[in-house]
């Protein structure tokens, strides 16, 4: 049985959003990781943090960017 990551539970307790890397964000909304990078480039999505070189995103922001780009089609 795995235990939750202490940092994740601390972040939730502090009311901070959980941040996820671009490839996982892409998987959550059903797009390619390149699409997430393109949304950042076009200003539809803004990274909420970094872990090393990886950009991190709030899941709510990723879903909002997906809805906004879907409406624009």
């Amino acid at each position: 049985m795995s235990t939750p990551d202490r940092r994740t539970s601390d972040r939730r307790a502090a009311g901070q959003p959980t941040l996820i890397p671009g490839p996982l964000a892409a998987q959550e909304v059903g797009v390619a990781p390149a699409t997430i990078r393109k949304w950042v480039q076009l200003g539809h999505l803004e990274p909420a943090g970094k872990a090393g070189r990886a950009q991190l995103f709030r899941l709510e922001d990723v879903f909002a960017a997906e809805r906004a780009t879907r409406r624009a089609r």
Side-chain angles (χ1 to χ4, degrees):
M1 185 166 150
S2 67
T3 58
D5 183 347
R6 181 177 179 86
R7 290 171 300 195
T8 302
S9 60
D10 289 348
R11 200 175 296 126
R12 286 186 192 138
Q16 295 178 348
T18 300
L19 303 179
I20 59 173
L24 182 56
Q27 184 179 0
E28 288 292 324
V29 293
V31 299
T35 302
I36 297 293
R37 292 190 298 272
K38 188 59 138 180
W39 289 348
V40 170
Q41 223 176 22
L42 296 172
H44 297 300
L45 180 61
E46 190 172 320
K50 290 191 93 152
R53 291 178 35 182
Q55 294 179 323
L56 301 175
F57 302 93
R58 290 177 359 141
L59 193 54
E60 309 84 70
D61 294 344
V62 176
F63 282 121
E66 190 270 337
R67 282 191 307 272
T69 57
R70 189 171 2 123
R71 272 187 259 136
R73 290 183 201 168

